[in-house]
Amino acid sequence: MGWSEPPTVILESGGESLQQQQQIRTTDPRDKGTSKVPETITITDDRTGKKVTVPITDGVFPSSALRELDPDLRMYDPAYLSTAACRSAITYLDGDNGVLRYRGYPIEQLAEKSTYLEVAYLLLNGELPDKAQLAQWTHDVVHHTFIHENMRKRFVDGFHYDAHPMGMFVSAVAALGTFYPEAKDVLDKDVRDKQILRLIAKAPTIAAMCHRFSVGLPFVYPDNNLSYPANFLNMMWKVGEYEIDPRLERAMDVLFILHADHEQNCGTTAMRVVGSSQADPYSAAAAASSALYGPLHGGANEAVVRMLTEIGSIENVPAFIEDVKSGKAGSRLMGFGHRVYKNYDPRARIIKQTAYEVFQVTGKNPLLDIALKLEEVALNDDYFKSRKLYPNVDFYSGLIYQAMGFPVEMFTVLFAIPRTVGWLAHWQELLTDKDQKISRPRQWYAGPDSRDYVPMIQR
Ligand code: ACO
């Protein structure tokens, strides 16, 4: 069946016509207590006349309604555009209004006042830590930053000299799990907590190790006296004497906060899908990192810098925008658009501000002018306006990373370090959610009907 044929299942929200609902809702759209609109949806199968009415809670209705109507009925929802695959209390995202909150706290407040490790605690535990809890958590993370020597000597040293650091990161995260066989015991809370600690603490060590290997520099061991972002910068850049500028340390921490979680994105969904089979968290985090690697997801920051470099000067911006619109450029305006945000990504706003602070230390990234011009032209262009395409988190982050000296190949790795906590918070939530089972979507089969095998001689 194609979509051009008339529908045979009718969904009515609240049992009213759309016009009636709109009239009532316009009068009092938010007052659920006294509204005359029932918070239900009725689904009618026109083939049988059977109806099922189920509640709508927070804009969500259970798919069990469809199974009740007909167990063989499927909803075709490629890329999960209308599917809530889980119930989550971690991150709130309102794409129309550009709102992002972790455990209820606005991202703007966290970026201004908090630290990455405090945010990590918040995401994992649901509440901000008190002084003693933060001290303990920081101590625990700091004391798990070292990795087994064989990880570096036997595993990482085996990569080809020009291996992409993100490819190395993905593989190293999976390999790390082989050092902790108990990690398979995912239903044991103590075991889970230990692996969470290890992954968060070791992610920067692995990331820096991948970079040092790819440029042929000796590995720098973690320094337990440094903060989380300072330790990472030290492992990345230390050659002889190295002093960390506190403004760059803070900028790194802010970037880590902004990237810590973003609810059910492609990488987190990969984490949940793999985690749902009760695979160990290292394997699941490697899958999530792989998803992040793609240019439509975390790989976009690398693509943005390559795009800006290719554009070369602000005079070429209008022509480039025309090429994007006509499809001639062969690609999209990287760092623009988002599945959920149909407004300015709040993280992009903070990152843009952080970029100016970093440039005070490093000097301005010459690509900034091209980026600003691109943003200006796109935000005033009907093509982008009508599709609600705004800068996303990746549009300005690459410029900061580049100004700080990170090679473009490291950009997605810089995203993966802080996102590790988001993946783990969701993994933990998944394993303690009684509604969850192994992920197993259904399909709409479109292949041939049954047919007999044809021997080679007759083909
Ligand atoms: N440049 C030009 N046109 C775009 C862009 C873009 N960056 N993004 C979307 N569009 C257009 C599409 O061509 C489509 O137009 P059409 O209706 O004429 O066919 C329309 O906008 C809707 O696009 P979809 O592909 O349906 O949107 P979707 O939600 O599937 O894609 C995505 C979201 C993947 C982020 C997309 O906007 C994109 O490819 N952006 C560039 C890559 C990028 O920056 N990714 C990082 C996202 S943030 C993150 O993952 C951390």
Side-chain angles (χ1 to χ4, degrees):
M1 190 193 85
W3 285 130
S4 52
E5 291 174 35
T8 52
V9 176
I10 298 176
L11 282 85
E12 307 167 26
S13 182
E16 308 274 355
S17 74
L18 188 61
Q19 207 183 358
Q20 282 168 322
Q21 291 165 37
Q22 280 168 340
Q23 277 165 0
I24 299 166
R25 286 213 164 104
T26 312
T27 320
D28 195 1
R30 280 161 300 177
D31 188 352
K32 286 183 188 160
T34 55
S35 168
K36 291 182 192 130
V37 181
E39 289 290 316
T40 57
I41 189 162
T42 299
I43 308 172
T44 309
D45 186 340
D46 283 349
R47 299 168 304 176
T48 59
K50 195 172 165 189
K51 286 180 192 232
V52 173
T53 300
V54 284
I56 300 175
T57 312
D58 301 331
V60 178
F61 72 91
S63 67
S64 57
L66 293 178
R67 291 194 292 281
E68 216 178 295
L69 211 53
D70 175 351
D72 294 325
L73 206 54
R74 307 270 175 266
M75 208 174 72
Y76 183 56
D77 188 17
Y80 314 121
L81 292 177
S82 301
T83 298
C86 64
R87 204 162 167 231
S88 179
I90 300 169
T91 289
Y92 174 78
L93 209 174
D94 174 352
D96 289 333
N97 295 306
V99 173
L100 174 62
R101 297 184 205 129
Y102 295 160
R103 301 283 190 182
Y105 294 102
I107 191 69
E108 293 81 3
Q109 290 181 23
L110 294 170
E112 191 191 334
K113 299 176 180 156
S114 188
T115 61
Y116 173 70
L117 278 191
E118 187 180 54
V119 164
Y121 184 99
L122 171 71
L123 287 167
L124 290 163
N125 298 290
E127 296 298 336
L128 287 167
D130 62 24
K131 214 172 162 190
Q133 286 167 329
L134 183 60
Q136 183 66 53
W137 168 242
T138 306
H139 175 274
D140 290 347
V141 172
V142 160
H143 287 86
H144 284 87
T145 48
F146 278 71
I147 50 172
H148 197 289
E149 277 293 278
N150 281 346
M151 260 300 284
R152 186 173 60 84
K153 287 190 191 149
R154 299 251 176 93
F155 185 76
V156 173
D157 278 1
F159 280 105
H160 198 51
Y161 72 94
D162 61 352
H164 193 291
M166 192 57 192
M168 294 168 73
F169 183 87
V170 166
S171 326
V173 168
L176 193 62
T178 63
F179 292 89
Y180 309 111
E182 76 276 14
K184 291 187 192 325
D185 201 356
V186 297
L187 300 181
D188 182 319
K189 182 175 174 347
D190 291 342
V191 171
R192 274 204 307 270
D193 288 349
K194 192 63 175 280
Q195 314 319 312
I196 287 173
L197 198 57
R198 283 176 171 148
L199 272 159
I200 292 171
K202 294 178 202 310
T205 315
I206 292 175
M209 179 181 64
C210 295
H211 167 71
R212 305 279 300 200
F213 174 83
S214 65
V215 292
L217 279 170
F219 180 56
V220 173
Y221 286 97
D223 182 339
N224 294 358
N225 297 311
L226 297 173
S227 72
Y228 190 86
N231 179 42
F232 172 59
L233 292 174
N234 193 57
M235 289 188 290
M236 278 292 301
W237 306 125
K238 188 175 166 68
V239 181
E241 286 304 303
Y242 171 66
E243 252 192 56
I244 300 154
D245 188 303
R247 290 168 294 178
L248 297 185
E249 177 184 347
R250 178 62 193 156
M252 199 75 249
D253 215 29
V254 170
L255 286 159
F256 283 171
I257 293 171
L258 298 178
H259 287 90
D261 192 43
H262 211 234
E263 53 119 306
Q264 312 311 318
N265 53 80
C266 183
T268 304
T269 299
M271 182 85 191
R272 280 182 172 266
V273 169
V274 176
S276 78
S277 75
Q278 296 184 1
D280 70 81
Y282 301 91
S283 305
S289 314
S290 306
L292 191 72
Y293 196 1
L296 296 189
H297 191 12
N301 50 19
E302 183 177 335
V304 169
V305 168
R306 292 193 196 284
M307 173 187 76
L308 296 173
T309 309
E310 210 172 289
I311 294 172
S313 90
I314 53 172
E315 289 76 50
N316 299 333
V317 165
F320 179 80
I321 291 281
E322 288 310 312
D323 284 353
V324 168
K325 283 157 57 179
S326 65
K328 218 162 123 195
S331 77
R332 295 180 161 200
L333 180 50
M334 299 313 282
F336 255 69
H338 198 275
R339 171 62 56 78
V340 184
Y341 289 121
K342 300 304 167 198
N343 202 324
Y344 212 100
D345 181 334
R347 300 168 300 173
R349 219 183 285 282
I350 302 168
I351 288 182
K352 195 173 171 184
Q353 176 60 34
T354 308
Y356 285 107
E357 287 157 18
V358 167
F359 297 160
Q360 281 177 8
V361 184
T362 60
K364 195 174 85 176
N365 186 327
L367 297 178
L368 176 70
D369 291 335
I370 302 173
L372 290 170
K373 185 72 183 167
L374 259 184
E375 181 185 342
E376 182 199 314
V377 174
L379 292 183
N380 287 299
D381 190 294
D382 272 348
Y383 175 93
F384 296 90
K385 281 202 282 190
S386 63
R387 289 167 178 78
K388 297 189 176 165
L389 300 170
Y390 293 87
N392 60 47
V393 68
D394 289 319
F395 194 64
Y396 287 103
S397 60
L399 295 184
I400 305 183
Y401 298 147
Q402 198 178 43
M404 288 171 84
F406 291 102
V408 282
E409 292 76 18
M410 275 299 283
F411 290 4
T412 313
V413 179
L414 294 169
F415 193 153
I417 296 169
R419 183 53 61 83
T420 301
V421 73
W423 294 331
L424 291 165
H426 284 273
W427 173 71
Q428 176 183 260
E429 189 178 65
L430 161 96
L431 290 171
T432 50
D433 179 350
K434 294 207 164 29
D435 283 352
Q436 290 293 338
K437 295 166 181 256
I438 186 168
S439 274
R440 205 315 184 178
R442 304 305 295 261
Q443 65 166 9
W444 180 5
Y445 178 69
D449 276 343
S450 171
R451 48 186 173 162
D452 289 327
Y453 178 81
V454 182
M456 183 64 80
I457 200 159
Q458 292 170 20
R459 278 181 239 161

